[in-house]
Amino acid sequence: MSFSIRKSLHPGLNLGEDHGDDRLEAETSVFGFWVFMMSDLVTFGMFFAVFATTMPLACCPGPKELFDLGSVAWQTAFLLASSLTSGMAILTLKQEHASRSASTKKLVFWLLVTVLLGCGFLYREISDFIAMAAAGGPPTRSGYLSALWSLVGLHGLHVTGGLIWCLVIVAGIVVRGVDHRWKLTLLRWAVFWHFLDVVWIAIFSFVFLGGLL
Amino acid sequence: MENNKEFRHYLIGFVLATLLTVIPFTLVATVGGKIAFFALILSAILQLIVHLRYFLHLSFKGQQREDLQLVLFTGLILLIMIGGSVWVLGDLYNRM
Amino acid sequence: MLDAIFGRLTWDSIILVQAVEQPNINTFITAGAAAMMPVGGVMIVALLTWMKWWKPLFEWLTSVDHKKIGTMYIIFAVIMLFRGVVEGMLMRANQAVGLNGGFLSSDHFNQLFTTHGTNMIFFVAMPFLFGLINIIVPLQIGARDVAFPRLNQISLGLTAAGGFLFMISLMIGEFSTGGWTGYPSFTGRLVNPGVGPDYYILAIAISGIGSTLTGVNFSVTIYKLRTAGMSFMRMPLFTWTALCTSILLIFAMPPLTACCAMLGLDRFLGFHFFTNDMGGNLMNFINLFWMFGHPEVYILILPAFGVMSEISSTFSGKRLYGYTSIVAATMCIAVLSFTVWLHHFFTMGQSATVNAAFGVATMLIAIPTGVKIYDWLATLWGGRIRFTAPMIYLCGFFVLFTIGGLSGVVLASPTLDYQLHNSQFLVAHFHNVIIPGVLFGILAGIHIWFPKIYGFRLMEGLSRITAFLWAIGFILAFMPLYQTGLMGMTRRTVAYEDPALVPWMIVSGIGALILGCAFLSILLTIFVSVLNRKKLMVPIGDPWDGRSLEWATPAPTPEWNFAVLPKVDCRDAFTDAKAKGTAYQPIEKYEDIEMPANTYYGFIIMIMASGLGFGLVWHMWWLAIASLLGAIATAITYAFLPQKQYIIPAAEVREIDEAWRRSAREGRGITRDDEGNEANQGLARPDNITNP
């Protein structure tokens, strides 16, 4: 089954024709990763469902006492910017790395900027968690807080994983160059990173902003 | 040029997403109430679409059938699961 | 210091020590069962050493070949089935003498029904089905392997790790007593702080992740690796059901992972997801669990339905009737299965509106299943039917599964369910759909496809006896439970007080004994077939006059499956080729074939996952952390290691393939009359039937 005539082989940004076989092999690899992302979305959905059905208790600190809207705004800004920079990285991959001879400097630059922004996100988020705990809102205090910490924490864990993954990719590119495997890995990583921002939209909207309404 | 077009794609998405973030944040911080609530939901849905379209490059044309099937079906499943859970647990809560 | 190393593990945790310190029938039974593990282990090591099978063993354990991985899944499932059948027999034996108290303690009985359910669903049925799908689907779609062979191996490793945790709980510690459904707050930290529920959570969560990855793998395989010309509507039905099963796996396993994670957070870190106070709500667990649990049962039954489709067409020599309607019905079942989960907890306090909505949805799901049964019956009609073991399973399925389905429709009514929930009626219903449905499908599938993988058939006579034993054993063991349920007997109780129940319990106990014999009959069948394999060989690979592509390969199938990937232009492509005379024609051009090399990845992940689980259960934090870091390090390392392939030279492929094709062209072939005897070399000759 020849798909090379079709424009888009898999969801997400497709490598161009000049990438040859890499483009064709990306079809299965990236599609498969999208499928896995869907299952991950459902996992997040389940944490959302539990969060949505757990009410803050009168006895214990709730959204109004614990949420720092400014900090959440910063986290959103960091993550959104990192989405843009990850997009820049993938564009660089597509436009400049059809051949193995191109310099990896620009690609690594964008990836490291993304990591930096992601670390900014995590730093703010962890600070917020520490502050919440200090204000009497640790996850062991109530069902609502358990749901809150686990939902936001699950996202934070994914971000951490994504950052480690990105650093591994950077190391791989520096050591081995942008070969077939690292190209496909980058495409998958970019999908992952964008989905983290998608989930964050839901989190800042319904957890933080929604909680403060 | 193809390259510029793709770059602009990301930029447009970024600007739209920023807008759709700033609006709900401001409304919740200042006005509050029902207006902010509906703006929040609308902005979230729109920003989701912006992300899917401009960052994840999904569109209705030029896409393989299975790619759309995948995302739409997942959307349906999430609706059933989250919506169903809220309905059931809400019903139980009302009867407590 | 010792606390830091061993966590809460002490000498008393080991059942053999407990049997010495507190000798009673319960500890003796458990110790005896647990002792089989080291004894069995020693015997296996001795056998491997004596037969010099260590190197082949490691070739298997590091293989990424879907046929080997599928076989390992099935071997794993058979071993776990042994434990599951014994657990069932113990419970039935206890109930047979259970008036005012059986011979088991309530704690032991509670662990038994928990392990029996958990085992059968996660470590018997699912691995069996994954094994069959693994082996057959790539062959049916004309592919060389699944989309992600290494991921396949990792999934197997994760399932094995879950199984390891499950089995080690027999020896060290104990298992949960909360049923396979594990509802908090009974399984919460307050009521059950021990290791039981922790074993339960980790065993099913870890194997659950493996199953999710399997779903991803199979669905991408079917979407992307179909051979030229095989559109969706030309796929065999077993592949269709495998596709729908994979979709269910992708979307239904996450709720299980989520609720296990939440229960784990409650137990390990003191969160309040499901506690009775501080804002916890156990209904969230129940809701999430059954959001997994209902699609799960369709994950179990859909592949079995696929096997039934294969049987009804192959063993009547006819095209499947109503292909489009069966495909549509399968897809309907897959989608609808996500809309009915509440019927598992009608009695938990929802309003009538909610209950009614889910009740109606549940009844609707019976319709597509009915469509499929009519289609299979219509397929048989006017066909050249052979009453082989698979056909016995199919006929048993028609009668018995239908009864089970009907009892399901009874339970779908919330009003009736209020009376029947958690009674023996429910136990009868789900065994009634699982045994004649899932198990018959699995056993029939093994019978049909065994020759494809091993090159020789199973002995027909013994296989038929096995089939009858399963059918009769099932009827005697579980049909009485409908009656006892209606008489008010509760499920999951070690004792009962109504003497009128005793005769039914005794009949059920006899049925359980027959089921035990049925299991042994499987082993006997395989054993005797291996002894007689020379007479049963079917090297040309098509012993049943099959219709789909998996029969267009030699038996045993070479590791590359097809020398040249086939092109199809219709359904039942192989039957079409045989009719046109294009099957087995020589191929002009052979090319080198690249196959992925063996790897230790999945094996290492299995060890890490087992260590993680065991460490968490016993609070051996160093072990848990080391295992987790080890798994991550493994993943990173393998990202850097080159992914090796090895090349099979075209000359070698040509030699084997040409020899096979020649033997097929020169062979005489047999009609269906000789299907069961020695003349069957795996080559089919046209039969006299009216409707090909």
Side-chain angles (χ1 to χ4, degrees):
Chain A
M1 277 173 139
S2 164
F3 284 112
S4 50
I5 29 167
R6 295 237 200 112
K7 223 175 78 166
S8 146
L9 292 183
H10 58 76
L13 187 68
N14 277 236
L15 295 173
E17 296 257 346
D18 49 341
H19 285 261
D21 271 342
D22 292 341
R23 174 173 171 268
L24 296 173
E25 292 195 37
E27 180 180 3
T28 310
S29 168
V30 180
F31 179 71
F33 192 74
W34 269 77
V35 175
F36 173 65
M37 277 293 95
M38 296 297 116
S39 82
D40 210 16
L41 265 183
V42 177
T43 309
F44 270 110
M46 295 300 94
F47 277 88
F48 256 111
V50 170
F51 175 81
T53 55
T54 319
M55 310 291 158
L57 292 181
C59 69
C60 312
K64 297 211 164 42
E65 293 86 8
L66 296 172
F67 290 169
D68 175 356
L69 204 53
S71 186
V72 175
W74 271 113
Q75 291 168 45
T76 311
F78 277 132
L79 211 55
L80 188 53
S82 75
S83 253
L84 179 66
T85 58
S86 74
M88 296 295 104
I90 295 301
L91 264 186
T92 312
L93 176 74
K94 175 173 177 180
Q95 291 166 0
E96 296 182 16
H97 288 273
S99 73
R100 295 260 337 240
S101 53
S103 159
T104 56
K105 280 209 185 53
K106 198 163 155 208
L107 179 58
V108 170
F109 168 74
W110 283 119
L111 289 176
L112 288 178
V113 170
T114 309
V115 171
L116 222 61
L117 292 167
C119 287
F121 170 89
L122 275 182
Y123 171 72
R124 289 257 50 149
E125 183 166 88
I126 294 176
S127 310
D128 277 1
F129 274 136
I130 296 176
M132 266 198 246
T140 48
R141 191 90 166 78
S142 74
Y144 171 82
L145 286 165
S146 297
L148 172 74
W149 278 68
S150 59
L151 173 57
V152 180
L154 182 65
H155 179 266
L157 257 177
H158 275 75
V159 169
T160 312
L163 292 177
I164 296 176
W165 190 4
C166 191
L167 288 172
V168 170
I169 292 177
V170 168
I173 291 178
V174 164
V175 168
R176 291 226 194 282
V178 183
D179 69 2
H180 169 72
R181 284 178 73 191
W182 291 113
K183 260 194 221 173
L184 295 184
T185 306
L186 254 176
L187 288 176
R188 297 196 295 261
W189 171 83
V191 173
F192 182 74
W193 196 252
H194 285 303
F195 264 108
L196 287 184
D197 208 8
V198 166
V199 175
W200 182 253
I201 300 173
I203 292 182
F204 83 70
S205 300
F206 298 114
V207 174
F208 291 109
L209 294 181
L212 286 176
L213 272 182
Chain B
M1 235 195 41
E2 174 85 6
N3 289 354
N4 261 341
K5 196 166 130 243
E6 288 176 334
F7 171 70
R8 266 189 295 126
H9 214 72
Y10 274 107
L11 216 53
I12 297 174
F14 178 70
V15 168
L16 284 176
T18 310
L19 222 65
L20 288 167
T21 305
V22 168
I23 294 177
F25 263 94
T26 334
L27 284 179
V28 167
T30 55
V31 175
K34 272 222 156 54
I35 303 175
F37 179 65
F38 284 115
L40 183 58
I41 298 185
L42 196 59
S43 304
I45 296 176
L46 285 176
Q47 201 186 145
L48 171 70
I49 296 176
V50 163
H51 265 85
L52 288 176
R53 173 105 181 66
Y54 289 99
F55 287 161
L56 286 163
H57 306 273
L58 280 182
S59 69
F60 277 112
K61 43 179 160 43
Q63 205 78 46
Q64 298 239 60
R65 236 178 68 215
E66 44 245 34
D67 301 343
L68 280 174
Q69 274 175 4
L70 178 64
V71 180
L72 292 174
F73 187 72
T74 307
L76 175 66
I77 292 294
L78 283 173
L79 204 67
I80 294 174
M81 286 185 171
I82 302 181
S85 300
V86 171
W87 184 38
V88 170
L89 273 293
D91 182 73
L92 284 167
Y93 182 75
N94 283 332
R95 280 165 64 88
M96 283 276 237
Chain C
M1 164 70 172
L2 274 180
D3 269 351
I5 300 179
F6 289 108
R8 48 184 178 168
L9 181 59
T10 63
W11 282 116
D12 294 328
S13 316
I14 305 178
I15 184 63
L16 301 168
V17 171
Q18 283 172 29
V20 168
E21 286 177 0
Q22 306 157 44
N24 57 56
I25 187 157
N26 296 294
T27 51
F28 280 176
I29 292 177
T30 315
M36 290 177 109
M37 289 193 287
V39 168
V42 167
M43 283 169 55
I44 291 177
V45 167
L47 181 71
L48 290 173
T49 313
W50 185 32
M51 302 287 290
K52 297 207 199 332
W53 278 349
W54 283 104
K55 192 153 166 285
L57 174 71
F58 273 93
E59 263 174 45
W60 273 74
L61 292 178
T62 57
S63 169
V64 291
D65 178 6
H66 67 100
K67 300 184 285 297
K68 292 209 167 69
I69 292 179
T71 307
M72 286 190 276
Y73 264 117
I74 294 181
I75 294 175
F76 173 82
V78 171
I79 297 173
M80 301 304 265
L81 178 61
F82 172 58
R83 177 173 170 179
V85 168
V86 169
E87 287 162 344
M89 288 172 72
L90 266 176
M91 285 192 284
R92 283 281 128 239
N94 180 79
Q95 301 291 61
V97 300
L99 185 64
N100 297 316
F103 59 90
L104 294 172
S105 71
S106 69
D107 182 76
H108 193 177
F109 189 84
N110 296 355
Q111 279 190 57
L112 275 174
F113 67 66
T114 308
T115 56
H116 177 78
T118 308
N119 186 12
M120 288 300 204
I121 301 223
F122 293 104
F123 304 119
V124 176
M126 287 176 87
F128 253 130
L129 295 168
F130 292 168
L132 280 177
I133 296 177
N134 245 312
I135 297 175
I136 296 305
V137 167
L139 288 171
Q140 282 195 341
I141 61 174
R144 293 225 191 280
D145 205 321
V146 292
F148 306 113
R150 285 195 325 181
L151 195 66
N152 206 4
Q153 199 197 46
I154 293 174
S155 292
L156 174 63
L158 288 173
T159 306
F164 163 77
L165 287 172
F166 178 75
M167 292 304 280
I168 203 78
S169 72
L170 191 57
M171 171 82 87
I172 307 179
E174 56 179 9
F175 204 71
S176 168
T177 50
W180 85 280
T181 49
Y183 287 177
S185 49
F186 181 74
T187 50
R189 192 161 74 165
L190 203 59
V191 179
N192 258 307
V195 296
D198 293 321
Y199 266 127
Y200 164 78
I201 296 171
L202 286 160
I204 64 179
I206 290 176
S207 70
I209 295 175
S211 304
T212 314
L213 297 174
T214 297
V216 173
N217 215 339
F218 288 163
S219 58
V220 177
T221 304
I222 297 174
Y223 262 107
K224 297 291 184 185
L225 296 187
R226 280 166 290 132
T227 191
M230 187 172 283
S231 63
F232 277 112
M233 293 307 272
R234 289 181 185 160
M235 296 194 313
L237 244 307
F238 184 70
T239 302
W240 260 115
T241 56
L243 176 62
C244 291
T245 304
S246 321
I247 295 173
L248 290 179
L249 282 166
I250 295 163
F251 293 105
M253 299 305 303
L256 178 70
T257 317
C259 71
C260 282
M262 294 177 194
L263 185 55
L265 285 170
D266 269 12
R267 291 179 60 83
F268 281 92
L269 295 179
F271 280 41
H272 283 290
F273 281 109
F274 310 124
T275 52
N276 280 337
D277 60 349
M278 302 309 290
N281 186 354
L282 64 85
M283 285 308 298
N284 268 322
F285 182 91
I286 295 180
N287 184 51
L288 246 56
F289 183 86
W290 286 113
M291 227 183 286
F292 147 78
H294 192 81
E296 165 66 17
V297 309
Y298 286 97
I299 290 168
L300 297 183
I301 198 68
L302 281 181
F305 284 168
V307 175
M308 298 305 167
S309 295
E310 303 289 339
I311 300 175
S312 63
S313 64
T314 307
F315 288 95
S316 62
K318 270 183 72 187
R319 194 179 60 204
L320 190 64
Y321 184 90
Y323 178 95
T324 311
S325 64
I326 300 193
V327 168
T330 308
M331 291 204 286
C332 278
I333 292 175
V335 177
L336 280 178
S337 70
F338 284 103
T339 61
V340 299
W341 75 92
L342 192 131
H343 69 227
H344 296 273
F345 52 97
F346 274 140
T347 58
M348 294 305 279
Q350 299 85 230
S351 69
T353 314
V354 173
N355 277 353
F358 280 95
V360 168
T362 308
M363 292 184 198
L364 281 178
I365 251 196
I367 298 178
T369 310
V371 165
K372 298 177 82 153
I373 295 193
Y374 285 128
D375 278 326
W376 292 321
L377 284 170
T379 308
L380 291 180
W381 184 263
R384 198 319 196 183
I385 298 178
R386 290 99 69 193
F387 209 58
T388 52
M391 187 55 74
I392 297 176
Y393 284 121
L394 180 66
C395 293
F397 164 86
F398 279 144
V399 176
L400 299 173
F401 179 83
T402 308
I403 298 175
L406 289 174
S407 67
V409 179
V410 167
L411 289 162
S413 153
T415 322
L416 290 173
D417 189 73
Y418 260 85
Q419 298 295 319
L420 298 168
H421 180 64
N422 273 349
S423 71
Q424 294 276 323
F425 189 95
L426 175 64
V427 176
H429 160 71
F430 62 71
H431 284 94
N432 201 345
V433 284
I434 290 185
I435 297 181
V438 184
L439 186 65
F440 281 16
I442 290 171
L443 294 174
I446 290 181
H447 186 94
I448 299 174
W449 286 312
F450 188 94
K452 174 74 354 190
I453 302 306
Y454 291 104
F456 58 96
R457 295 176 295 114
L458 292 171
M459 297 220 48
E460 190 59 39
L462 277 175
S463 301
R464 289 183 194 165
I465 292 176
T466 307
F468 277 117
L469 282 175
W470 279 107
I472 295 171
F474 158 76
I475 292 171
L476 287 178
F478 290 103
M479 291 307 188
L481 302 189
Y482 280 123
Q483 176 60 20
T484 60
L486 290 169
M487 289 163 75
M489 184 180 179
T490 326
R491 72 185 286 207
R492 290 176 173 171
T493 43
V494 67
Y496 50 89
E497 288 165 350
D498 183 356
L501 295 170
V502 173
W504 303 102
M505 291 291 104
I506 294 183
V507 171
S508 181
I510 295 174
L513 272 172
I514 298 180
L515 286 173
C517 294
F519 175 77
L520 290 175
S521 183
I522 299 178
L523 298 182
L524 188 69
T525 307
I526 297 180
F527 184 64
V528 175
S529 304
V530 170
L531 288 181
N532 285 308
R533 60 187 179 283
K534 298 261 180 348
K535 288 202 225 110
L536 299 162
M537 289 233 165
V538 287
I540 305 182
D542 181 22
W544 318 118
D545 195 13
R547 309 181 76 84
S548 38
L549 287 177
E550 78 266 30
W551 304 110
T553 58
T557 308
E559 58 192 302
W560 55 79
N561 295 350
F562 301 93
V564 169
L565 295 181
K567 292 191 183 20
V568 307
D569 53 15
C570 61
R571 278 176 213 156
D572 289 347
F574 189 47
T575 299
D576 186 65
K578 282 188 281 192
K580 289 204 189 105
T582 58
Y584 309 120
Q585 289 312 308
I587 296 180
E588 283 175 23
K589 193 165 180 317
Y590 286 91
E591 281 175 8
D592 288 346
I593 299 183
E594 249 183 47
M595 300 290 294
N598 287 18
T599 173
Y600 274 95
Y601 202 162
F603 188 68
I604 298 177
I605 295 290
M606 175 185 79
I607 296 179
M608 296 298 162
S610 306
L612 177 65
F614 193 81
L616 284 174
V617 167
W618 290 103
H619 296 181
M620 293 158 72
W621 309 122
W622 61 270
L623 179 59
I625 294 175
S627 303
L628 186 60
L629 291 177
I632 297 174
T634 308
I636 296 179
T637 309
Y638 273 104
F640 279 90
L641 288 177
Q643 239 170 350
K644 287 191 277 228
Q645 317 260 71
Y646 65 96
I647 311 236
I648 305 173
E652 189 183 323
V653 178
R654 170 185 289 270
E655 199 187 312
I656 296 180
D657 196 61
E658 274 189 344
W660 168 62
R661 285 175 189 272
R662 202 178 317 120
S663 65
R665 285 196 305 275
E666 292 165 7
R668 257 199 83 239
I670 48 144
T671 61
R672 299 300 93 211
D673 288 318
D674 293 315
E675 193 174 63
N677 64 40
E678 232 176 291
N680 190 349
Q681 291 291 304
L683 182 62
R685 215 169 68 215
D687 236 354
N688 295 327
I689 50 169
T690 49
N691 236 331

